[in-house]
């Protein structure tokens, strides 16, 4: 028997169970590129924690006990909308079960409103991600400015310097690398917040419970806007869940991430406010005494801001590059026509990064920027869109109380957005009409 013929007979005699490698090679390769459950947890924590935790003591001073209740309520609602958003990626088919039929937030928007839903989601996501990324160079500039206030370098110049140093993010291209950056970000965040909490606990003898009995009706909506900005993780979750090796564990991962980060925010907010009370700063780290405490914490914040910039900008890059074929001619696209070619990618990413740097320099107020994000795009991303989309897509499968709950979330979100935008608008006016604003 010829060798070649014998090989074909042997190959045909092997079934899929005994010789699976040929048929599963591509699937195995794709599986290797996906992220583990722990990587997903780090990314989820990174998307939920944010640098806005540093503003929690200040915004606690706007609402006291009411603020602590508000942050818990928003965390619960945001956790719920995170899960129903992921449910919108799937459909139930007879014989096939639950199948993923959509890949992105924009795909869900398209299912909700075929003609304009995708554009509505993409525009909101773009603004949200750009604003979130802009917070990072602001935090870097403020952190270094308060370490060396005696140097003849203003806060805005520091922000510009660190903004320019973030330009190498234009070359970021790996989700797995992004996961490692997120893990590093969480490590520095926990280190930083542990130092702050330890310092506050060391001064617990001066705490007065009655200090939490405060309420500022004018600035309380601004406080809720900051909280919403820190909980608008939904913008990243479709990508995270789609890259999980075990997507069935998504709900458990998001629960743990929300519990951990909510406890951290409440602890930093309450302890920081009780420790520094009326003199609490825009970023609580700047309330620490000038010396080892402040230097250590602010250096960590600088590193944290650097690594925290990558996640929102990677999402912006991915979204813009996927949309580019609709607007660019073939000469500017790669060989498969699905993405821009390398020179175009670098140019687009450089322009987007430059936008965040310019915005950071123009409005160098950490808390104000965070409140603006939360009140506007953050409310839409975290509360309004997931609930509206979920009710429209699964209307005939939902129980009446589920519909009522989601309608309540939409109304609550719209009310928060309106109040927050008015409050933030007033502060923006003061920012541009005066040299500085004391929040």
């Amino acid at each position: 028997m010829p060798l070649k013929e014998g090989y074909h007979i042997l190959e045909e005699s092997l079934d899929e169970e005994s010789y699976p490698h040929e048929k599963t090679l591509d699937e195995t390769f794709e599986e290797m590129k996906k992220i583990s459950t722990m990587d997903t947890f780090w990314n989820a924590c990174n998307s939920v924690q944010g640098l806005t935790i540093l503003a929690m003591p200040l915004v606690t001073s706007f609402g006291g006990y009411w603020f602590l209740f508000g942050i818990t309520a928003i965390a619960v609602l945001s956790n719920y909308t995170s899960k129903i958003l992921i449910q919108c990626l799937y459909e139930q088919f007879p014989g096939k079960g639950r199948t993923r039929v959509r890949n992105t937030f924009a795909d869900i928007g398209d299912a909700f409103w075929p003609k304009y839903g995708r554009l509505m989601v993409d525009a909101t996501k773009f603004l949200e991600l750009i604003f979130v990324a802009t917070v990072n160079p602001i935090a870097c500039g403020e952190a270094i400015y308060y370490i060396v206030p005696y140097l003849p370098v203003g806060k805005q110049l520091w922000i510009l310097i660190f903004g320019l140093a973030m330009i190498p993010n234009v070359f970021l291209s790996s989700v797995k690398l992004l996961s490692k950056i997120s893990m590093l970000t969480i490590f520095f965040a926990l280190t930083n917040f542990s130092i702050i909490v330890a310092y506050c606990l060391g001064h617990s003898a001066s705490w007065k419970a009655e200090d939490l009995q405060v309420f500022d009706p004018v600035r309380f909506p601004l406080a809720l806007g900051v909280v919403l900005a820190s909980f608008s993780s939904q913008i990243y979750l479709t990508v995270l869940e789609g890259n999980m090796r075990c997507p069935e564990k998504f709900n458990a991962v998001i629960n743990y991430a929300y519990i951990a980060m909510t406890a951290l925010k409440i602890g930093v907010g309450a302890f920081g406010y009780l420790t520094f009370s009326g003199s609490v700063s825009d970023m609580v780290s700047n309330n620490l005494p000038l010396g080892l405490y402040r230097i250590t914490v602010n250096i960590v914040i600088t590193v944290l801001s650097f690594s925290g910039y990558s996640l929102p900008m990677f999402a912006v890059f991915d979204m813009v590059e996927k949309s580019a074929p609709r607007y660019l001619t073939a000469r500017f696209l790669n060989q498969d026509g699905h993405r821009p070619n390398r020179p175009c990618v670098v140019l687009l990413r450089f322009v987007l990064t430059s936008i965040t740097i310019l915005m950071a320099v123009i409005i160098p107020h950490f808390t104000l920027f965070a409140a603006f994000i939360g009140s506007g795009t953050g409310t839409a991303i975290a509360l309004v869109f997931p609930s509206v989309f979920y009710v429209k897509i699964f209307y005939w499968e939902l129980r009446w109380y589920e519909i009522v709950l989601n309608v309540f979330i939409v109304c609550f979100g719209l009310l928060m957005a309106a109040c927050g935008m008015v409050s933030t608008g007033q502060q923006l006016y003061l920012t541009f009409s005066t040299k500085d604003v004391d929040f």
Side-chain angles (χ1 to χ4, degrees):
M1 180 185 296
L3 180 61
K4 186 174 181 182
E5 183 181 349
Y7 172 76
H8 282 305
I9 293 174
L10 177 62
E11 186 181 46
E12 289 171 2
S13 70
L14 294 172
D15 58 18
E16 184 177 347
E17 183 178 356
S18 62
Y19 189 66
H21 306 290
E22 283 292 324
K23 291 192 175 183
T24 61
L25 185 60
D26 290 340
E27 294 175 4
T28 302
F29 180 69
E30 289 299 318
E31 187 74 12
M32 288 171 63
K33 294 194 296 183
K34 291 184 178 292
I35 58 177
S36 67
T37 302
M38 185 57 68
D39 282 336
T40 306
F41 174 76
W42 292 125
N43 276 298
C45 286
N46 191 22
S47 68
V48 175
Q49 59 96 8
L51 289 168
T52 46
I53 294 181
L54 297 171
M56 290 298 146
L58 177 63
V59 294
T60 301
S61 70
F62 301 161
Y65 287 115
W66 282 104
F67 172 76
L68 299 179
F69 171 77
I71 191 173
T72 304
I74 290 173
V76 171
L77 294 179
S78 181
N79 179 274
Y80 168 75
T81 57
S82 297
K83 294 172 184 175
I84 63 173
L85 179 68
I86 297 303
Q87 286 188 46
C88 291
L89 297 173
Y90 293 84
E91 295 282 357
Q92 195 78 20
F93 293 98
K96 293 177 65 176
R98 188 168 176 259
T99 305
R100 203 177 205 262
V101 296
R102 305 176 187 97
N103 292 317
T104 66
F105 206 144
D107 290 341
I108 300 171
D110 190 58
F112 166 75
W113 190 6
K115 195 171 182 180
Y116 300 106
R118 182 179 297 276
L119 179 62
M120 176 180 69
V121 170
D122 280 343
T124 308
K125 277 180 61 180
F126 178 81
L127 292 173
E128 167 81 358
L129 289 166
I130 287 291
F131 290 146
V132 169
T134 300
V135 168
N136 290 276
I138 294 176
C140 281
E142 287 200 12
I144 295 300
Y145 176 76
Y146 283 101
I147 291 178
V148 286
Y150 44 82
L151 289 182
V153 181
K155 187 189 300 183
Q156 286 168 291
L157 183 55
W158 279 120
I159 293 172
L160 176 61
I161 291 170
F162 282 101
L164 294 174
M166 292 175 180
I167 289 178
N169 277 277
V170 300
F171 301 106
L172 184 63
S173 59
S174 169
V175 175
K176 294 199 79 170
L177 175 60
L178 188 66
S179 297
K180 303 309 177 188
I181 293 174
S182 293
M183 185 168 61
L184 181 67
T185 301
I186 293 298
F187 171 76
F188 279 112
L190 293 177
T191 301
N192 205 33
F193 303 141
S194 296
I195 294 172
I196 293 172
V197 169
Y199 178 85
C200 293
L201 289 174
H203 293 75
S204 59
S206 63
W207 291 358
K208 298 178 181 178
E210 56 267 24
D211 286 345
L212 289 172
Q213 298 175 357
V214 295
F215 184 78
D216 186 337
V218 175
R219 295 190 290 183
F220 185 65
L222 188 149
L224 295 180
V226 175
V227 175
L228 263 172
S230 70
F231 278 113
S232 55
S233 62
Q234 290 78 0
I235 205 163
Y236 312 106
L237 298 184
T238 57
V239 176
L240 286 181
E241 194 267 353
N243 282 280
M244 289 181 70
R245 290 185 197 140
C246 304
E248 66 277 5
K249 296 181 180 179
F250 173 81
N251 284 356
V253 170
I254 207 70
N255 283 341
Y256 288 127
Y258 266 77
I259 290 171
M261 294 301 108
T262 302
L264 186 61
K265 290 173 188 179
I266 290 175
V268 172
F271 298 164
Y273 172 62
L274 289 171
T275 301
F276 303 110
S277 59
S279 62
V280 67
S281 179
D282 201 20
M283 292 170 60
V284 67
S285 56
N286 297 330
N287 284 112
L288 297 174
L290 188 57
L292 184 60
Y293 264 114
R294 184 186 294 185
I295 292 173
T296 302
V297 168
N298 281 16
I299 287 175
V300 174
I301 287 173
T302 304
V303 178
L304 177 63
S305 304
F306 243 85
S307 57
Y309 183 82
S310 300
L311 181 61
M313 286 311 296
F314 184 83
V316 169
F317 297 155
D318 186 65
M319 183 177 66
V320 171
E321 289 162 22
K322 283 180 178 177
S323 303
R326 301 177 201 166
Y327 312 107
L328 298 178
T329 59
R331 64 179 296 187
F332 297 109
L333 301 177
N334 59 15
Q335 290 183 345
D336 61 15
H338 295 155
R339 295 259 185 170
N341 57 34
R342 190 60 181 171
C344 258
V345 165
V346 173
L347 180 60
L348 281 171
R349 291 185 173 195
F350 178 77
V351 170
L352 292 168
T353 304
S354 299
I355 290 172
T356 64
I357 297 170
L358 181 62
M359 291 172 63
V361 173
I362 291 175
I363 311 177
H365 292 286
F366 181 81
T367 302
L368 179 58
F369 218 110
F372 181 75
I373 297 167
S375 299
T377 57
T379 304
I381 293 292
L383 300 180
V384 178
F385 284 176
S387 294
V388 171
F389 295 169
Y390 182 65
V391 170
K392 170 67 185 300
I393 293 172
F394 297 109
Y395 181 79
W396 299 109
E397 302 175 29
L398 299 179
R399 297 177 177 85
W400 67 268
Y401 57 82
E402 292 178 296
I403 296 175
V404 170
L405 172 62
N406 283 278
V407 170
F408 166 77
I409 293 173
V410 172
C411 294
F412 174 72
L414 292 175
L415 178 63
M416 284 189 61
C419 295
M421 291 299 287
V422 170
S423 178
T424 308
Q426 292 174 342
Q427 296 294 343
L428 279 170
Y429 173 77
L430 291 174
T431 299
F432 288 105
S433 59
T434 60
K435 290 184 178 180
D436 199 8
V437 176
D438 181 13
F439 292 107

